[in-house]
Amino acid sequence: GKLDDNYDIICLDGNKENLDINNLLAIRRKDLLFLNMYKLSINQETIKTGILISQIAYKRLELEKK
């Protein structure tokens, strides 16, 4: 299906030629920005952990605004 404009697709192993479905991940652009800012795109585990940290950080900011 079509992705929301706020999402991108990344390759978990960093190889843009490996289009295996298990290597592709839809990620929010703000989470991708977080990964890039903190250089967390090293490997699959780091990426997945970085996404979780990003989601927690953005949720915290959201709650602090209330």
Side-chain angles (χ1 to χ4, degrees), residues 44-56:
Q44 212 170 17
E45 291 301 315
T46 307
I47 291 170
K48 290 179 179 180
T49 303
I51 291 169
L52 292 173
I53 294 168
S54 172
Q55 291 171 346
I56 291 167

Side-chain angles (χ1 to χ4, degrees), residues 38-65:
Y38 294 100
K39 299 179 180 9
L40 297 174
S41 298
I42 298 166
N43 59 43
Q44 212 170 17
E45 291 301 315
T46 307
I47 291 170
K48 290 179 179 180
T49 303
I51 291 169
L52 292 173
I53 294 168
S54 172
Q55 291 171 346
I56 291 167
Y58 283 114
K59 187 64 173 180
R60 180 178 166 221
L61 288 173
E62 181 184 313
L63 292 172
E64 286 177 352
K65 287 181 182 180

Side-chain angles (χ1 to χ4, degrees), residues 25-39:
L25 179 69
I27 182 173
R28 295 183 308 179
R29 288 187 176 177
K30 63 183 180 180
D31 293 327
L32 183 56
L33 174 65
F34 187 92
L35 289 179
N36 291 332
M37 280 178 29
Y38 294 100
K39 299 179 180 9

